[in-house]
Amino acid sequence: MEDMQEEEKLVRISWKEGIGDKHCRYCKEELKFAHATSGKDVYCLDGVHHQIVNLYHCPDPQCKGAKEYVNPSPRLDYSNRYYGADVFRFVAKAVLQFKLKTAQIHSMLRDKQVEISESTVREMVKDVLVLKSDAIDHKTAEIVTEQGQILLALDGQQPDNGTKSLWLFVDLLSNRVLHTQLLDKASYENIHKIIERIVDKYQVNLVGVVSDKQGNLVKCMETYYPEVPHQYCAWHFTNNIWKHLEMLDNRVHMAVKKQIKASILYTTPQEYNITVDVQGTKEPASKVFGPVKKDLKRLTKKRTVKFETLHGIVLCQELKEFCDGVEAILPDLPQGIQLTNILEREIQKFRKILKKVQEHMEQADEALTLFKTMYALLYETNQDPTQLEQQLAEHFDAVWELAQTYGMQAKREDLKSILPSSKHTIDIYYAEQVRLWDRYHEGLFQYQHFPHDVRTNVLIEQLFSREVCYIIGQKCKRRIGFVIETQGEYLLRILHATEEELEADILESFSKERLNRLRDELQEKISEKTSEWVNLSDLTTSIRYLKRTYGIVDTTTPFTQ
């Protein structure tokens, strides 16, 4: 009998040579053909095929193997479903390599004449996520176990209030996701248990930890791993300072932007006409000032570039250039007409607001210059870390002197944490910089004890951000929390995997038992989450009563959490 015999659309699958051991697992007799299945239709990319599978068993009627009917040869379908493995591979490629939405994949399959529902495609996508993330985990185990040590970065993500936080643990030496876990409470004891589980699972040494200096993580390291270097993330340190600097700049930006938007050059009504020459010719102001309005709108849309530029400073500089440019052409315009008068009046208003914010703008500019000096030192790679620490200590001593010069009365050791606010004066801003340095500096240079120079755990922040962007891209914006709690662990692995891993055959090393186990794990997460949702039917009586009595409730609105 041929390995795969096709008659029209009939496909008969026999035991393919070289696959599995064709001997009874009990008595070692060679397995013989027993009977064939009645067959089923399998929907493939090239049409519908009727699949019949030949089954084999032990020929000895006294052996247990006589009642076990097997055939390990690959089927047209996958996981005993009614769709072909080629359809599943098509879905996997669309999800993993092209990041397509379920609706897009469904439409593409229908274009290929595959009769399939969108809900079935959605279930296939879930299978893709669990199978690929499981394969990634196996690859990670091979890499990390051989490596023998890990440099651990960890952080948590809580998309909605009241939900569990998803914690991510990454090895910064191999750049692999080691572990993910949903936690109701990320206490230092719970974090310690997870770290121990990771070390035991991979049989590795913990050579260092990088974190954003959360209190639970600091306590965990001080309590359980006092000898392990704990690097405080340099990115989080600089970002904390930057957020205050942005607020310092915002008071400049908001004041100038407000004046620009109030200008008649920006808000000219469509029906307003002005004279444009000495003969009294009138034209719509919207037409005359149209190009000016475009320039002003461009100015108001200036954006801060993190760690590089501040939009308030840039706005002031470019508005000044705009005023200079307009004033340069005013002598060339007819005098005493509305066009010239409006321009002169509005430029005077712009000059006035620039003068009003001058002091604050100069303070923000000075602060930005100091920030860039600090940033360059913190990420310097050509100097000894001990020397860098000393230079930064001197830098922040100078910043403290500046804070006192601007009026700071508090003692350095008494400084308290403050939230970013545009209401803070420059002395408070500088004092907060110094406070952050005093709290962080002991952990900012632990990277010198690592196998590699690693100063941040920004990789985790990037992964969380990519995960949220992916979920929004799948049109799940309103269910971000739900998707993160149920599928976030799979998405983080897939979004961080290599292209080679994503392109690998989704059904490589496939087994029905493995897929069923992974499906059960995912379904358990979904069931746990959806069990909290309110059922509309449970509220029907009270809703109908309110509707009938007071007429204020729409009974068609689903009640979900």
Side-chain angles (χ1 to χ4, degrees):
M1 183 177 296
E2 295 182 357
D3 169 59
M4 188 174 286
Q5 171 187 329
E6 181 171 347
E7 301 169 10
E8 297 180 351
K9 289 196 175 183
L10 171 66
V11 177
R12 183 181 296 274
I13 299 176
S14 60
W15 192 307
K16 187 176 180 180
E17 187 177 348
I19 294 183
D21 182 7
K22 200 175 178 181
H23 291 86
C24 177
R25 59 175 177 153
Y26 301 107
C27 67
K28 306 305 178 185
E29 283 282 330
E30 183 179 359
L31 301 182
K32 301 294 184 182
F33 173 76
H35 59 82
T37 61
S38 57
K40 70 173 183 180
D41 289 339
V42 179
Y43 295 83
C44 301
L45 294 178
D46 61 349
V48 182
H49 299 277
H50 191 72
Q51 174 181 272
I52 296 176
V53 181
N54 292 339
L55 299 177
Y56 301 77
H57 74 149
C58 179
D60 183 356
Q62 304 301 317
C63 179
K64 292 181 181 180
K67 296 182 179 181
E68 292 184 2
Y69 304 98
V70 296
N71 184 345
S73 297
R75 313 292 206 263
L76 284 179
D77 62 333
Y78 90 101
S79 189
N80 290 343
R81 296 198 170 184
Y82 288 92
Y83 291 93
D86 59 341
V87 174
F88 185 60
R89 288 188 174 96
F90 180 89
V91 172
K93 185 174 183 179
V95 172
L96 300 173
Q97 297 181 45
F98 299 106
K99 307 295 187 293
L100 297 184
K101 302 177 180 67
T102 300
Q104 292 174 312
I105 301 170
H106 175 248
S107 177
M108 292 170 69
L109 287 171
R110 294 302 298 266
D111 289 344
K112 292 180 176 293
Q113 308 303 314
V114 177
E115 294 295 325
I116 190 170
S117 68
E118 190 169 334
S119 61
T120 300
V121 175
R122 190 173 295 111
E123 291 303 309
M124 285 187 176
V125 170
K126 290 179 183 178
D127 285 351
V128 169
L129 294 181
V130 296
L131 279 172
K132 183 56 69 173
S133 61
D134 189 57
I136 291 168
D137 278 347
H138 280 84
K139 183 66 175 179
T140 297
E142 293 177 9
I143 294 172
V144 174
T145 302
E146 182 179 354
Q147 182 176 275
Q149 57 183 8
I150 57 172
L151 176 55
L152 187 65
L154 63 162
D155 201 0
Q157 171 193 40
Q158 190 173 26
D160 296 325
N161 291 330
T163 62
K164 293 181 179 180
S165 55
L166 176 58
W167 277 77
L168 174 62
F169 300 78
V170 175
D171 172 41
L172 296 175
L173 298 180
S174 62
N175 207 25
R176 304 292 298 188
V177 173
L178 298 173
H179 185 73
T180 52
Q181 188 160 335
L182 288 164
L183 293 175
D184 286 312
K185 183 180 179 182
S187 65
Y188 75 99
E189 296 99 334
N190 286 340
I191 296 298
H192 168 245
K193 290 176 183 176
I194 295 173
I195 293 176
E196 286 299 295
R197 197 178 309 147
I198 291 171
V199 170
D200 182 64
K201 174 183 177 181
Y202 295 104
Q203 292 295 295
V204 291
N205 294 322
L206 179 64
V207 297
V209 169
V210 183
S211 80
D212 59 2
K213 198 184 176 295
Q214 291 183 43
N216 57 339
L217 304 181
V218 173
K219 188 170 184 179
C220 176
M221 296 304 297
E222 290 176 346
T223 304
Y224 298 107
Y225 307 101
E227 303 303 319
V228 176
H230 182 194
Q231 168 75 15
Y232 298 157
C233 176
W235 184 89
H236 280 89
F237 170 68
T238 50
N239 191 52
N240 285 337
I241 294 177
W242 182 260
K243 285 188 288 188
H244 289 275
L245 182 51
E246 283 183 311
M247 290 294 104
L248 194 67
D249 175 73
N250 271 352
R251 60 185 176 182
V252 174
H253 182 264
M254 294 306 295
V256 177
K257 182 178 179 180
K258 182 178 179 181
Q259 182 62 58
I260 292 175
K261 286 195 166 186
S263 171
I264 192 173
L265 301 177
Y266 189 95
T267 60
T268 307
Q270 195 73 21
E271 65 280 0
Y272 182 51
N273 296 320
I274 62 171
T275 56
V276 296
D277 55 31
V278 293
Q279 286 77 32
T281 305
K282 288 185 176 289
E283 291 187 7
S286 57
K287 173 188 175 184
V288 176
F289 296 130
V292 176
K293 181 177 181 177
K294 285 183 178 179
D295 279 347
L296 292 176
K297 288 188 77 171
R298 179 183 58 80
L299 291 183
T300 61
K301 293 182 181 297
K302 288 291 180 181
R303 295 289 180 263
T304 287
V305 179
K306 187 178 278 294
F307 304 159
E308 293 183 20
T309 63
L310 293 166
H311 59 178
I313 295 174
V314 174
L315 177 58
C316 287
Q317 293 170 341
E318 296 198 1
L319 182 60
K320 182 181 180 302
E321 292 176 7
F322 174 82
C323 292
D324 292 342
V326 172
E327 287 179 340
I329 67 165
L330 282 176
D332 299 329
L333 298 177
Q335 302 302 302
I337 63 171
Q338 280 183 295
L339 167 62
T340 308
N341 292 341
I342 289 173
L343 286 173
E344 288 176 343
R345 185 177 69 245
E346 295 306 306
I347 292 303
Q348 287 176 4
K349 290 180 181 179
F350 291 158
R351 294 287 192 193
K352 185 176 180 180
I353 190 63
L354 288 172
K355 184 176 180 180
K356 184 177 180 180
V357 301
Q358 176 77 20
E359 182 181 2
H360 288 160
M361 195 272 285
E362 289 176 351
Q363 290 176 353
D365 193 38
E366 174 191 72
L368 178 61
T369 300
L370 288 170
F371 175 88
K372 289 183 175 180
T373 300
M374 176 274 298
Y375 188 88
L377 285 172
L378 191 61
Y379 287 95
E380 173 62 55
T381 58
N382 295 322
Q383 287 192 53
D384 180 75
T386 304
Q387 294 177 347
L388 291 176
E389 184 174 6
Q390 179 59 37
Q391 291 180 54
L392 280 165
E394 293 171 359
H395 170 87
F396 283 101
D397 286 343
V399 171
W400 177 242
E401 290 179 8
L402 262 179
Q404 292 176 311
T405 301
Y406 280 114
M408 174 53 58
Q409 299 296 318
K411 294 181 179 179
R412 185 165 175 171
E413 60 270 20
D414 294 335
L415 295 176
K416 304 296 182 183
S417 174
I418 59 171
L419 293 174
S421 171
S422 58
K423 296 179 180 179
H424 291 153
T425 53
I426 187 67
D427 61 315
I428 293 176
Y429 162 74
Y430 281 138
E432 176 62 8
Q433 266 201 51
V434 173
R435 187 198 69 82
L436 285 166
W437 164 256
D438 290 344
R439 303 300 185 273
Y440 264 88
H441 80 271
E442 290 184 356
L444 286 173
F445 301 91
Q446 293 299 309
Y447 64 84
Q448 62 187 301
H449 306 297
F450 293 163
H452 302 297
D453 183 345
V454 180
R455 309 185 193 192
T456 78
N457 69 346
V458 70
L459 170 66
I460 290 183
E461 298 292 335
Q462 292 170 344
L463 271 175
F464 282 147
S465 177
R466 289 173 61 197
E467 173 201 35
V468 171
C469 289
Y470 177 85
I471 293 170
I472 293 174
Q474 295 293 315
K475 295 188 176 180
C476 299
K477 187 173 182 179
R478 296 182 180 179
R479 300 191 302 133
I480 288 179
F482 171 74
V483 176
I484 287 177
E485 282 200 59
T486 55
Q487 300 179 29
E489 296 185 75
Y490 311 113
L491 292 175
L492 288 172
R493 286 165 169 80
I494 288 169
L495 292 172
H496 193 53
T498 64
E499 287 297 323
E500 183 181 0
E501 287 177 289
L502 297 181
E503 292 172 2
D505 185 5
I506 189 70
L507 294 176
E508 185 178 0
S509 304
F510 171 82
S511 74
K512 178 184 174 183
E513 293 74 19
R514 173 182 166 221
L515 179 56
N516 286 340
R517 172 180 59 81
L518 296 171
R519 282 174 178 163
D520 290 344
E521 291 174 1
L522 174 57
Q523 187 55 48
E524 185 178 348
K525 294 175 186 176
I526 295 174
S527 299
E528 180 183 355
K529 185 62 181 175
T530 55
S531 66
E532 303 168 2
W533 292 359
V534 179
N535 191 328
L536 179 60
S537 62
D538 296 337
L539 304 174
T540 299
T541 303
S542 60
I543 292 176
R544 286 179 177 174
Y545 165 76
L546 290 172
K547 177 70 174 180
R548 183 175 62 251
T549 308
Y550 303 104
I552 59 172
V553 176
D554 182 358
T555 58
T556 64
T557 302
F559 278 68
T560 58
Q561 187 173 10

